[in-house]
Amino acid sequence: MSVQELEKIFQVKIDAEIKIEPKDWMPDAYRKTNIRQISQHAHSEIVGMLPEGNWISRAPSLKRKAILLAKVQDEAGHGLYLYSACETLGISREETINDLHSGRAKYSSIFNYPTLTWADIGAIGWLVDGAAIMNQVMLTRTSYGPYARAMVRICKEESFHQRQGFESLLVLSKGTKEQKELCQDAINRWWWPALMMFGPKDTESTNSDQSMKWKIKRKSNDELRQNFVDMIAEQVKILGMKLPDDKLIWNEERRHYDFGEIDWNEFWNVVKGNGPCNKQRLDARKKAWEEGEWVREAATAYAEKRRARSKAA
């Protein structure tokens, strides 16, 4: 059977909403696109532990510390699911992690911003996890089976994280003058980076059209961003806070909120490695990988010993 015939059969399956599984034939470009997207997602979960982990020892109460510990642990689990899904495409975990450390692979630009106050933890939960959910709910229906199934559990946990973040900000918003100021300041600093999480404008996105055809993506960057703005613009009213955008206004004709222009120069600058914490984040991941080498070696030796005993029996 020719490649053209195989591609036709493949697209018919996609159009019929039949999941593509690891042993199925798939175009090389489909495999590479999924490897890029899933590994980038996995890296984002792991790197995303760092700005929040920074506050575990400084949480304002035992309750908040327990919540934050559980959340960071969840993020580690999400990374595990996603690295495992990526491995089904024929690339090893070591290769994907080496790509991260070398700079060939990216992670979400949002995690290159610092967490300056405790209120940032709430803002990350509400805005960053909220933006992630907006994108990831669509991924539960992505065409590659292992990725879609991993996303089901991830979305359930991320939804919980968003509610925790909002509740944390709600407490601050009803507190003292200083607490209210912390809440508003965190929202001011995280709002625009959260909008950047959906990626470049559709007119500048090089992979969107093909990803939509293959149903790797279900909605465009701009569609998801608009949905997010519409949701948060209503929720912020409950907090009694304001989003830092003078152009944010309800458009009755469009039935959507209009909002200001994102600073795309800042977005691309961070993506290229020049954000406030890019070097710090990568250095932390490299250090953890190097210091964990003995654990990986011990686990491998134990597994080999178990296999040898099993064969001998």
Side-chain angles (χ1 to χ4, degrees):
M1 191 175 294
S2 68
V3 172
Q4 289 77 14
E5 290 173 315
L6 289 170
E7 287 179 343
K8 185 175 181 180
I9 293 171
F10 174 81
Q11 190 62 51
V12 167
K13 290 177 68 175
I14 295 289
D15 295 339
E17 300 289 346
I18 298 172
K19 296 297 184 199
I20 305 302
E21 300 297 342
K23 292 185 178 180
D24 293 343
W25 184 91
M26 64 187 77
D28 287 342
Y30 178 86
R31 185 184 304 275
K32 289 177 181 178
T33 298
N34 270 294
I35 288 174
R36 177 187 59 78
Q37 182 168 325
I38 300 172
S39 65
Q40 179 175 310
H41 192 166
H43 300 328
S44 298
E45 297 285 354
I46 299 301
V47 176
M49 297 164 63
L50 298 173
E52 293 177 306
N54 178 46
W55 278 90
I56 289 174
S57 63
R58 296 181 288 161
S61 69
L62 185 59
K63 172 188 172 182
R64 296 297 176 188
K65 179 177 289 192
I67 290 171
L68 187 55
L69 274 168
K71 181 184 179 184
V72 172
Q73 179 176 284
D74 284 348
E75 308 297 358
H78 299 172
L80 175 63
Y81 308 151
L82 294 165
Y83 281 131
S84 298
C86 203
E87 286 176 314
T88 66
L89 289 159
I91 186 170
S92 71
R93 191 168 307 185
E94 287 72 16
E95 287 179 276
T96 58
I97 291 173
N98 286 338
D99 285 345
L100 170 66
H101 293 170
S102 68
R104 286 193 296 272
K106 303 296 183 184
Y107 55 89
S108 179
S109 61
I110 193 77
F111 300 119
N112 290 311
Y113 291 86
T115 44
L116 304 179
T117 72
W118 171 253
D120 288 26
I121 302 303
I124 288 175
W126 178 43
L127 296 175
V128 176
D129 292 336
I133 292 166
M134 191 64 66
N135 185 49
Q136 291 171 6
V137 166
M138 295 296 102
L139 292 174
T140 62
R141 297 191 295 117
T142 191
S143 59
Y144 187 57
Y147 192 20
R149 290 187 288 273
M151 291 312 306
V152 172
R153 178 166 179 175
I154 289 174
C155 283
K156 290 179 181 178
E157 293 176 350
E158 292 288 9
S159 179
F160 192 56
H161 297 166
Q162 186 192 24
R163 292 197 296 274
Q164 289 174 332
F166 186 81
E167 186 271 339
S168 181
L169 290 185
L170 187 61
V171 171
L172 290 175
S173 74
K174 296 180 181 298
T176 64
K177 177 177 178 290
E178 289 77 11
Q179 288 174 321
K180 292 177 181 178
E181 289 174 351
L182 283 177
C183 182
Q184 184 62 66
D185 175 64
I187 293 170
N188 291 347
R189 286 183 289 105
W190 288 94
W191 172 244
W192 292 107
L195 291 189
M196 297 176 194
M197 283 180 67
F198 296 97
K201 292 185 289 188
D202 292 344
T203 54
E204 297 178 8
S205 181
T206 57
N207 301 303
S208 285
D209 289 344
Q210 187 61 70
S211 291
M212 295 283 280
K213 180 181 178 182
W214 282 332
K215 297 187 179 180
I216 296 173
K217 292 178 66 172
R218 293 287 181 157
K219 288 188 177 182
S220 72
N221 296 349
D222 288 340
E223 284 182 283
L224 292 168
R225 191 167 13 246
Q226 181 66 70
N227 292 342
F228 177 69
V229 171
D230 292 345
M231 176 182 73
I232 298 299
E234 292 298 320
Q235 291 179 354
V236 75
K237 297 175 183 177
I238 300 172
L239 295 175
M241 298 289 150
K242 293 183 179 179
L243 297 176
D245 184 355
D246 294 336
K247 296 182 179 179
L248 184 72
I249 187 170
W250 176 253
N251 186 318
E252 187 63 35
E253 185 177 339
R254 294 177 57 239
R255 306 298 296 172
H256 289 291
Y257 276 90
D258 293 335
F259 58 98
E261 182 67 16
I262 294 169
D263 184 350
W264 292 111
N265 289 329
E266 178 184 338
F267 170 76
W268 290 114
N269 192 47
V270 176
V271 169
K272 291 175 182 177
N274 302 314
C277 298
N278 286 69
K279 185 177 185 303
Q280 178 184 337
R281 300 292 185 240
L282 268 185
D283 285 349
R285 291 311 312 155
K286 289 177 183 176
K287 183 172 183 286
W289 182 254
E290 291 166 1
E291 292 181 350
E293 184 176 2
W294 72 271
V295 179
R296 296 191 298 277
E297 289 177 349
T300 300
Y302 178 74
E304 290 175 349
K305 193 172 184 178
R306 293 264 300 187
R307 279 194 294 269
R309 285 180 178 175
S310 179
K311 288 181 180 178

